[in-house]
mmCIF file of all heavy atoms in Angstrom:
data_model
loop_
_atom_site.group_PDB
_atom_site.id
_atom_site.type_symbol
_atom_site.label_atom_id
_atom_site.label_comp_id
_atom_site.label_asym_id
_atom_site.label_seq_id
_atom_site.Cartn_x
_atom_site.Cartn_y
_atom_site.Cartn_z
ATOM 1 N N PRO Z 1 0.528 -9.005 0.783
ATOM 2 C CA PRO Z 1 -0.699 -8.205 0.645
ATOM 3 C C PRO Z 1 -0.983 -7.757 -0.785
ATOM 4 O O PRO Z 1 -2.122 -7.368 -1.084
ATOM 5 C CB PRO Z 1 -0.426 -6.996 1.547
ATOM 6 C CG PRO Z 1 1.070 -6.869 1.555
ATOM 7 C CD PRO Z 1 1.570 -8.287 1.529
ATOM 8 N N THR Z 2 0.015 -7.783 -1.677
ATOM 9 C CA THR Z 2 -0.214 -7.314 -3.050
ATOM 10 C C THR Z 2 -0.736 -8.418 -3.970
ATOM 11 O O THR Z 2 -0.937 -8.179 -5.166
ATOM 12 C CB THR Z 2 1.079 -6.743 -3.643
ATOM 13 O OG1 THR Z 2 2.101 -7.741 -3.631
ATOM 14 C CG2 THR Z 2 1.556 -5.538 -2.841
ATOM 15 N N THR Z 3 -0.973 -9.615 -3.437
ATOM 16 C CA THR Z 3 -1.506 -10.715 -4.241
ATOM 17 C C THR Z 3 -2.798 -10.291 -4.944
ATOM 18 O O THR Z 3 -3.697 -9.711 -4.317
ATOM 19 C CB THR Z 3 -1.793 -11.933 -3.347
ATOM 20 O OG1 THR Z 3 -0.570 -12.365 -2.759
ATOM 21 C CG2 THR Z 3 -2.391 -13.080 -4.151
ATOM 22 N N HIS Z 4 -2.888 -10.555 -6.237
ATOM 23 C CA HIS Z 4 -4.064 -10.258 -7.080
ATOM 24 C C HIS Z 4 -4.255 -8.767 -7.382
ATOM 25 O O HIS Z 4 -5.172 -8.427 -8.139
ATOM 26 C CB HIS Z 4 -5.359 -10.796 -6.452
ATOM 27 C CG HIS Z 4 -5.356 -12.265 -6.201
ATOM 28 N ND1 HIS Z 4 -5.125 -13.198 -7.188
ATOM 29 C CD2 HIS Z 4 -5.557 -12.976 -5.051
ATOM 30 C CE1 HIS Z 4 -5.183 -14.411 -6.668
ATOM 31 N NE2 HIS Z 4 -5.448 -14.304 -5.380
ATOM 32 N N LEU Z 5 -3.446 -7.901 -6.809
ATOM 33 C CA LEU Z 5 -3.644 -6.473 -7.048
ATOM 34 C C LEU Z 5 -2.946 -6.051 -8.339
ATOM 35 O O LEU Z 5 -1.829 -6.482 -8.625
ATOM 36 C CB LEU Z 5 -3.087 -5.646 -5.888
ATOM 37 C CG LEU Z 5 -3.719 -5.840 -4.511
ATOM 38 C CD1 LEU Z 5 -3.120 -4.857 -3.520
ATOM 39 C CD2 LEU Z 5 -5.232 -5.694 -4.567
ATOM 40 N N ASP Z 6 -3.604 -5.178 -9.103
ATOM 41 C CA ASP Z 6 -2.950 -4.625 -10.280
ATOM 42 C C ASP Z 6 -1.963 -3.536 -9.841
ATOM 43 O O ASP Z 6 -1.904 -3.161 -8.658
ATOM 44 C CB ASP Z 6 -3.977 -4.091 -11.282
ATOM 45 C CG ASP Z 6 -4.898 -3.034 -10.689
ATOM 46 O OD1 ASP Z 6 -4.541 -2.424 -9.658
ATOM 47 O OD2 ASP Z 6 -5.985 -2.811 -11.248
ATOM 48 N N ALA Z 7 -1.184 -3.036 -10.790
ATOM 49 C CA ALA Z 7 -0.107 -2.110 -10.454
ATOM 50 C C ALA Z 7 -0.598 -0.849 -9.739
ATOM 51 O O ALA Z 7 -0.009 -0.441 -8.725
ATOM 52 C CB ALA Z 7 0.692 -1.753 -11.709
ATOM 53 N N PRO Z 8 -1.685 -0.200 -10.197
ATOM 54 C CA PRO Z 8 -2.136 0.995 -9.473
ATOM 55 C C PRO Z 8 -2.530 0.706 -8.027
ATOM 56 O O PRO Z 8 -2.235 1.504 -7.129
ATOM 57 C CB PRO Z 8 -3.342 1.473 -10.298
ATOM 58 C CG PRO Z 8 -3.101 0.934 -11.670
ATOM 59 C CD PRO Z 8 -2.447 -0.403 -11.451
ATOM 60 N N HIS Z 9 -3.182 -0.432 -7.802
ATOM 61 C CA HIS Z 9 -3.587 -0.743 -6.425
ATOM 62 C C HIS Z 9 -2.405 -1.218 -5.582
ATOM 63 O O HIS Z 9 -2.413 -1.046 -4.360
ATOM 64 C CB HIS Z 9 -4.714 -1.774 -6.425
ATOM 65 C CG HIS Z 9 -6.027 -1.215 -6.861
ATOM 66 N ND1 HIS Z 9 -6.585 -1.474 -8.094
ATOM 67 C CD2 HIS Z 9 -6.887 -0.355 -6.245
ATOM 68 C CE1 HIS Z 9 -7.731 -0.827 -8.209
ATOM 69 N NE2 HIS Z 9 -7.941 -0.148 -7.105
ATOM 70 N N GLN Z 10 -1.403 -1.812 -6.193
ATOM 71 C CA GLN Z 10 -0.179 -2.117 -5.455
ATOM 72 C C GLN Z 10 0.465 -0.833 -4.948
ATOM 73 O O GLN Z 10 0.852 -0.731 -3.774
ATOM 74 C CB GLN Z 10 0.800 -2.887 -6.342
ATOM 75 C CG GLN Z 10 0.407 -4.312 -6.622
ATOM 76 C CD GLN Z 10 1.430 -5.024 -7.496
ATOM 77 O OE1 GLN Z 10 2.378 -4.424 -8.002
ATOM 78 N NE2 GLN Z 10 1.238 -6.315 -7.683
ATOM 79 N N ARG Z 11 0.601 0.153 -5.825
ATOM 80 C CA ARG Z 11 1.199 1.428 -5.431
ATOM 81 C C ARG Z 11 0.352 2.114 -4.366
ATOM 82 O O ARG Z 11 0.891 2.705 -3.415
ATOM 83 C CB ARG Z 11 1.369 2.333 -6.647
ATOM 84 C CG ARG Z 11 2.452 1.870 -7.609
ATOM 85 C CD ARG Z 11 2.511 2.768 -8.839
ATOM 86 N NE ARG Z 11 2.858 4.124 -8.494
ATOM 87 C CZ ARG Z 11 4.098 4.581 -8.374
ATOM 88 N NH1 ARG Z 11 5.126 3.752 -8.559
ATOM 89 N NH2 ARG Z 11 4.341 5.844 -8.074
ATOM 90 N N ALA Z 12 -0.973 2.036 -4.501
ATOM 91 C CA ALA Z 12 -1.852 2.653 -3.508
ATOM 92 C C ALA Z 12 -1.686 1.988 -2.146
ATOM 93 O O ALA Z 12 -1.674 2.664 -1.107
ATOM 94 C CB ALA Z 12 -3.305 2.563 -3.965
ATOM 95 N N LEU Z 13 -1.540 0.659 -2.149
ATOM 96 C CA LEU Z 13 -1.340 -0.046 -0.883
ATOM 97 C C LEU Z 13 -0.030 0.372 -0.236
ATOM 98 O O LEU Z 13 0.030 0.621 0.978
ATOM 99 C CB LEU Z 13 -1.349 -1.562 -1.115
ATOM 100 C CG LEU Z 13 -0.946 -2.407 0.100
ATOM 101 C CD1 LEU Z 13 -1.907 -2.182 1.269
ATOM 102 C CD2 LEU Z 13 -0.889 -3.881 -0.263
ATOM 103 N N LEU Z 14 1.041 0.450 -1.015
ATOM 104 C CA LEU Z 14 2.326 0.843 -0.444
ATOM 105 C C LEU Z 14 2.251 2.256 0.132
ATOM 106 O O LEU Z 14 2.842 2.535 1.179
ATOM 107 C CB LEU Z 14 3.427 0.753 -1.502
ATOM 108 C CG LEU Z 14 3.675 -0.644 -2.089
ATOM 109 C CD1 LEU Z 14 4.960 -0.647 -2.900
ATOM 110 C CD2 LEU Z 14 3.720 -1.717 -1.007
ATOM 111 N N ARG Z 15 1.519 3.153 -0.538
ATOM 112 C CA ARG Z 15 1.340 4.498 0.016
ATOM 113 C C ARG Z 15 0.590 4.440 1.350
ATOM 114 O O ARG Z 15 0.922 5.171 2.291
ATOM 115 C CB ARG Z 15 0.593 5.391 -0.978
ATOM 116 C CG ARG Z 15 1.421 5.836 -2.169
ATOM 117 C CD ARG Z 15 0.751 6.989 -2.911
ATOM 118 N NE ARG Z 15 -0.541 6.605 -3.459
ATOM 119 C CZ ARG Z 15 -0.722 6.118 -4.678
ATOM 120 N NH1 ARG Z 15 0.320 5.920 -5.476
ATOM 121 N NH2 ARG Z 15 -1.935 5.808 -5.111
ATOM 122 N N SER Z 16 -0.423 3.576 1.427
ATOM 123 C CA SER Z 16 -1.178 3.438 2.671
ATOM 124 C C SER Z 16 -0.300 2.925 3.801
ATOM 125 O O SER Z 16 -0.356 3.427 4.928
ATOM 126 C CB SER Z 16 -2.361 2.490 2.468
ATOM 127 O OG SER Z 16 -3.316 3.031 1.589
ATOM 128 N N LEU Z 17 0.512 1.919 3.513
ATOM 129 C CA LEU Z 17 1.386 1.363 4.547
ATOM 130 C C LEU Z 17 2.414 2.393 4.998
ATOM 131 O O LEU Z 17 2.710 2.518 6.191
ATOM 132 C CB LEU Z 17 2.077 0.108 4.023
ATOM 133 C CG LEU Z 17 1.157 -1.065 3.670
ATOM 134 C CD1 LEU Z 17 1.970 -2.249 3.176
ATOM 135 C CD2 LEU Z 17 0.285 -1.461 4.857
ATOM 136 N N ARG Z 18 2.964 3.126 4.034
ATOM 137 C CA ARG Z 18 3.940 4.155 4.400
ATOM 138 C C ARG Z 18 3.278 5.244 5.235
ATOM 139 O O ARG Z 18 3.875 5.741 6.207
ATOM 140 C CB ARG Z 18 4.572 4.744 3.145
ATOM 141 C CG ARG Z 18 5.690 5.731 3.442
ATOM 142 C CD ARG Z 18 6.463 6.118 2.218
ATOM 143 N NE ARG Z 18 7.221 5.007 1.681
ATOM 144 C CZ ARG Z 18 8.336 4.537 2.213
ATOM 145 N NH1 ARG Z 18 8.812 5.079 3.327
ATOM 146 N NH2 ARG Z 18 8.971 3.525 1.663
ATOM 147 N N ALA Z 19 2.051 5.620 4.891
ATOM 148 C CA ALA Z 19 1.349 6.654 5.658
ATOM 149 C C ALA Z 19 1.082 6.188 7.083
ATOM 150 O O ALA Z 19 1.217 6.965 8.040
ATOM 151 C CB ALA Z 19 0.044 7.023 4.962
ATOM 152 N N ARG Z 20 0.722 4.923 7.250
ATOM 153 C CA ARG Z 20 0.478 4.414 8.599
ATOM 154 C C ARG Z 20 1.760 4.347 9.407
ATOM 155 O O ARG Z 20 1.760 4.630 10.605
ATOM 156 C CB ARG Z 20 -0.205 3.040 8.520
ATOM 157 C CG ARG Z 20 -1.697 3.202 8.412
ATOM 158 C CD ARG Z 20 -2.432 1.953 8.048
ATOM 159 N NE ARG Z 20 -3.866 2.185 8.194
ATOM 160 C CZ ARG Z 20 -4.599 2.970 7.424
ATOM 161 N NH1 ARG Z 20 -4.023 3.603 6.426
ATOM 162 N NH2 ARG Z 20 -5.883 3.157 7.627
ATOM 163 N N ALA Z 21 2.849 3.963 8.763
ATOM 164 C CA ALA Z 21 4.132 3.992 9.458
ATOM 165 C C ALA Z 21 4.482 5.420 9.873
ATOM 166 O O ALA Z 21 4.951 5.657 10.987
ATOM 167 C CB ALA Z 21 5.228 3.400 8.572
ATOM 168 N N ALA Z 22 4.222 6.382 8.994
ATOM 169 C CA ALA Z 22 4.520 7.781 9.314
ATOM 170 C C ALA Z 22 3.692 8.262 10.504
ATOM 171 O O ALA Z 22 4.125 9.156 11.242
ATOM 172 C CB ALA Z 22 4.253 8.662 8.096
ATOM 173 N N ARG Z 23 2.514 7.651 10.688
ATOM 174 C CA ARG Z 23 1.663 8.037 11.822
ATOM 175 C C ARG Z 23 1.971 7.211 13.074
ATOM 176 O O ARG Z 23 1.263 7.319 14.075
ATOM 177 C CB ARG Z 23 0.191 7.893 11.447
ATOM 178 C CG ARG Z 23 -0.250 8.860 10.364
ATOM 179 C CD ARG Z 23 -1.765 9.025 10.326
ATOM 180 N NE ARG Z 23 -2.475 7.807 9.984
ATOM 181 C CZ ARG Z 23 -2.840 7.485 8.742
ATOM 182 N NH1 ARG Z 23 -2.501 8.271 7.723
ATOM 183 N NH2 ARG Z 23 -3.506 6.382 8.519
ATOM 184 N N GLY Z 24 3.007 6.359 13.004
ATOM 185 C CA GLY Z 24 3.465 5.681 14.208
ATOM 186 C C GLY Z 24 3.250 4.188 14.263
ATOM 187 O O GLY Z 24 3.574 3.553 15.274
ATOM 188 N N ALA Z 25 2.705 3.583 13.208
ATOM 189 C CA ALA Z 25 2.525 2.127 13.215
ATOM 190 C C ALA Z 25 3.849 1.427 12.908
ATOM 191 O O ALA Z 25 4.728 1.978 12.238
ATOM 192 C CB ALA Z 25 1.478 1.716 12.190
ATOM 193 N N ALA Z 26 3.984 0.217 13.415
ATOM 194 C CA ALA Z 26 5.078 -0.672 13.030
ATOM 195 C C ALA Z 26 4.517 -1.631 11.989
ATOM 196 O O ALA Z 26 3.574 -2.365 12.262
ATOM 197 C CB ALA Z 26 5.601 -1.443 14.238
#
């Protein structure tokens, strides 16, 4: 999923995925 993303957007994506996992997603 981080293909073509710059470093700030990579970090933002990882935060989003972690937040969704925290809310119960696998």
Side-chain angles (χ1 to χ4, degrees):
T2 58
T3 298
H4 302 304
L5 297 185
D6 57 20
H9 287 106
Q10 288 181 353
R11 289 177 63 87
L13 171 61
L14 298 192
R15 286 195 298 269
S16 293
L17 297 181
R18 185 170 293 285
R20 274 168 171 69
R23 294 199 296 267

